[in-house]
Amino acid sequence: MEQQLTVYNTLNRKKELFVPLHAPNVGMYVCGPTVYGDAHLGHARPAITFDVLFRYLTHIGYKVRYVRNITDVGHLEHDADEGEDKIAKKARLDQVEPMEVVQYYLNRYHKAMEALNVLSPSIEPHASGHIIEQIELVQKILDNGYAYISEGSVYFDVAKYDKDHNYGRLSGRNLDDVLNTTRELDGQSEKRNPADFALWKKAQPEHIMRWPSPWSDGFPGWHAECTAMGRKYLGEHFDIHGGGMDLVFPHHECEIAQSVASQGDDMVQYWMHNNMITINGTKMGKSLGNFITLEEFFKGSHPLLTQAYTAMTIRFFILQAHYRSTVDFSNEALQAAEKGLLRLTEAIDGLEKIKPSATSDVEVASVRTKCYEAMNDDMNTPMVIAALFEGAKMINNIIAGNNTISEADLKELKETFHLFSYDVLGLTEETGSSDGREAAYGKVVDMLLKQRVKAKANKDWATSDMIRNELTALGFEIKDTKDGFEWRLNK
């Protein structure tokens, strides 16, 4: 491989050179959504983060099998083991079948991901479609002595596992810390230890999502699904497992324990986690009134929003920060991202207006070099954007006549901007609404300005001034050029 990617491995807390187990094939598993509500900003960040990783690994020559699961059973309301299934609860409240809830919100999730230009994964398995694999996983853990049956449920024996292995390697916790922070539940008597987690839960009579098993009619524990599906589609050893930082403990910690307890060694080589998004410095939550769905962002319909924001503005906003850093949402931050995206888009458009010279007095190769260096340094997308902005400044100087560029260098600059803006960062040329309305009004503006050019040619200054004044009043900035006109909408 010409380009060598370095990634931060959460497991050992250091950057490592990415060396696939079976090059050029790469196996990547990312925890997807629990589909019982509309996608929100928290869903967008891991989707975009690992979409960029997927794109970049593919670009530098790897064949990537990207698995992103859908949780449609077993994620309980209070914690991993207690309370009502989140999807079943939504189905009960809406008086529909649980799979109706799943399908409805999954369709909306896919629509939001499409707007954000997130590529579809190679495989998108559902937890409910892999009950057999999860039962087989639980049986292996039982056979190896790291689980026990209690009143029809099966629990992972954390204390026994910790004696033979190290429970807490990913999160940095030890078992005493876990025991001291584990919530004791009233009437809880099935577990030997409060830190133990469910591999299989016996369904109560009112529980509508249930399957037969050797132990009871019930359902799998939340943690079991990713281990079982990762193994099915990527094998006992694969390269990357990703997700949000909030999944490190307990979900991914339990996954490591399950894989070692069932097969004797680690399943995953590199663990990667994106950090959280806060809103005005506060964790996002429905109870706090700051829970904003992606659809609300696109429509500007939430009280905390001062305007609507396009999907590409959201994507650019997220990519402006390194994936391992916290991102704080505010209208001011999104408006700044909107302006930055416009600046980048105008530079790309400007490339088509440049007429090459015989020679160059600009160094264009540095832009591509800096972009690769940034991507290879643990996917440093902010530095990629910074390098592209340096290129944008170069483009503006060439357009202004301050510098010259040869045909070969202009081709190089165009290819670099297309590669990193579109192919790697996943931005799209159309930055307006996904239904094409902004493209339509752009054609209308062009038509009016062409009429203005004709009016000026006929010395019809009244019509020419009227068109310009009316468009200016609507927020359009009009610039006359030797070739006709340019315009932009000031937001």
Side-chain angles (χ1 to χ4, degrees):
M1 295 292 169
E2 291 184 5
Q3 301 296 331
Q4 292 189 313
L5 171 65
T6 299
V7 297
Y8 182 88
N9 192 345
T10 309
L11 188 61
N12 56 25
R13 295 166 186 80
K14 65 180 182 181
K15 289 183 182 180
E16 295 181 319
L17 181 65
F18 179 68
V19 181
L21 292 166
H22 309 290
N25 299 305
V26 172
M28 182 169 78
Y29 190 102
V30 175
C31 289
T34 303
V35 282
Y36 68 101
D38 276 330
H40 51 76
L41 207 58
H43 289 126
R45 192 167 197 196
I48 291 170
T49 295
F50 292 100
D51 179 61
V52 171
L53 180 58
F54 182 29
R55 288 168 178 272
Y56 189 63
L57 287 172
T58 302
H59 164 64
I60 61 177
Y62 292 111
K63 182 180 179 182
V64 185
R65 177 177 288 177
Y66 175 17
V67 181
R68 185 184 68 206
N69 73 292
I70 299 296
T71 297
D72 57 0
V73 65
H75 199 169
L76 305 187
E77 186 180 8
H78 297 319
D79 57 31
D81 296 343
E82 298 300 324
E84 191 173 3
D85 186 290
K86 292 180 178 181
I87 290 171
K89 180 181 179 180
K90 180 68 175 173
R92 176 175 57 79
L93 293 174
D94 292 352
Q95 296 184 326
V96 296
E97 286 290 326
M99 288 304 142
E100 285 186 76
V101 173
V102 171
Q103 194 63 56
Y104 176 78
Y105 286 109
L106 182 56
N107 289 344
R108 294 171 69 83
Y109 173 78
H110 284 156
K111 186 177 179 181
M113 293 303 106
E114 183 179 354
L116 291 167
N117 200 30
V118 170
L119 299 176
S120 298
S122 312
I123 304 172
E124 191 175 57
H126 291 228
S128 63
H130 296 78
I131 301 299
I132 293 174
E133 289 84 356
Q134 293 174 80
I135 289 173
E136 290 174 349
L137 171 67
V138 175
Q139 188 61 60
K140 284 183 180 178
I141 296 173
L142 276 167
D143 293 344
N144 291 340
Y146 291 109
Y148 56 90
I149 303 167
S150 178
E151 300 181 24
S153 294
V154 183
Y155 291 97
F156 190 93
D157 193 333
V158 171
K160 185 172 183 180
Y161 173 84
D162 190 59
K163 288 181 181 178
D164 300 332
H165 309 281
N166 180 12
Y167 181 78
R169 287 187 293 133
L170 186 66
S171 61
R173 306 186 187 199
N174 61 50
L175 187 56
D176 289 337
D177 293 335
V178 175
L179 290 173
N180 291 334
T181 57
T182 301
R183 181 166 59 95
E184 292 284 359
L185 300 171
D186 293 338
Q188 177 68 26
S189 59
E190 292 183 5
K191 296 181 182 182
R192 294 177 184 172
N193 187 313
D196 296 347
F197 57 90
L199 297 170
W200 184 267
K201 288 284 288 183
K202 179 180 179 180
Q204 298 303 310
E206 67 275 9
H207 199 99
I208 57 179
M209 300 177 75
R210 61 174 68 214
W211 291 264
S213 80
W215 317 290
S216 64
D217 278 4
F219 54 93
W222 172 38
H223 308 308
E225 63 180 88
C226 292
T227 305
M229 291 189 290
R231 177 178 291 155
K232 179 179 177 66
Y233 295 109
L234 299 175
E236 291 190 348
H237 303 97
F238 59 89
D239 299 290
I240 298 169
H241 196 321
M245 195 74 75
D246 56 326
L247 297 178
V248 170
F249 187 87
H251 187 47
H252 288 165
E253 194 72 76
C254 293
E255 280 197 60
I256 289 176
Q258 288 170 160
S259 67
V260 174
S262 61
Q263 67 184 40
D265 60 359
D266 283 319
M267 182 180 293
V268 179
Q269 186 176 14
Y270 300 95
W271 287 87
M272 296 179 67
H273 294 89
N274 63 273
N275 216 320
M276 299 295 100
I277 292 181
T278 57
I279 295 183
N280 295 321
T282 305
K283 184 179 179 180
M284 184 170 58
K286 289 183 179 179
S287 62
L288 299 173
N290 64 359
F291 184 88
I292 308 175
T293 68
L294 290 174
E295 185 175 4
E296 287 172 329
F297 274 107
F298 300 158
K299 294 182 177 179
S301 58
H302 193 280
L304 289 178
L305 299 174
T306 59
Q307 66 179 77
Y309 297 98
T310 67
M312 283 303 101
T313 297
I314 299 293
R315 187 175 181 108
F316 190 76
F317 166 70
I318 289 173
L319 293 175
Q320 279 184 310
H322 191 274
Y323 77 93
R324 287 193 289 111
S325 65
T326 303
V327 174
D328 188 49
F329 155 80
S330 66
N331 280 286
E332 292 76 17
L334 267 179
Q335 287 160 6
E338 187 175 59
K339 291 178 182 177
L341 178 59
L342 179 61
R343 179 183 163 197
L344 182 60
T345 303
E346 288 178 338
I348 295 172
D349 291 342
L351 282 167
E352 301 304 321
K353 302 172 185 176
I354 294 175
K355 294 181 179 179
S357 303
T359 59
S360 291
D361 60 3
V362 289
E363 176 52 56
V364 299
S366 62
V367 179
R368 184 187 290 258
T369 299
K370 289 178 181 178
C371 286
Y372 272 123
E373 287 175 349
M375 283 302 300
N376 289 335
D377 184 14
D378 194 25
M379 287 207 320
N380 197 333
T381 57
M383 293 306 297
V384 175
I385 292 171
L388 292 174
F389 278 153
E390 287 184 24
K393 184 177 179 181
M394 189 184 300
I395 292 166
N396 293 334
N397 279 328
I398 294 167
I399 292 173
N402 299 326
N403 293 108
T404 60
I405 188 169
S406 67
E407 186 173 351
D409 283 348
L410 180 59
K411 183 175 181 288
E412 161 67 14
L413 205 54
K414 286 180 178 180
E415 289 177 352
T416 298
F417 268 81
H418 189 283
L419 169 62
F420 286 98
S421 297
Y422 301 146
D423 297 345
V424 174
L425 296 185
L427 302 171
T428 59
E429 295 184 54
E430 174 54 62
T431 59
S433 57
S434 58
D435 60 9
R437 284 175 291 182
E438 287 202 11
Y441 81 58
K443 292 179 181 179
V444 172
V445 174
D446 285 341
M447 181 180 67
L448 288 170
L449 289 174
K450 286 175 183 177
Q451 291 300 317
R452 179 172 175 267
V453 170
K454 289 181 180 179
K456 288 173 66 178
N458 295 329
K459 298 185 178 181
D460 183 359
W461 309 120
T463 300
S464 171
D465 291 344
M466 181 189 71
I467 293 173
R468 182 186 186 98
N469 293 340
E470 289 292 335
L471 288 174
T472 301
L474 291 171
F476 292 93
E477 182 180 320
I478 313 299
K479 181 180 179 181
D480 293 318
T481 67
K482 63 178 182 179
D483 298 319
F485 57 82
E486 294 179 359
W487 64 269
R488 58 180 283 184
L489 177 60
N490 293 319
K491 295 186 177 182

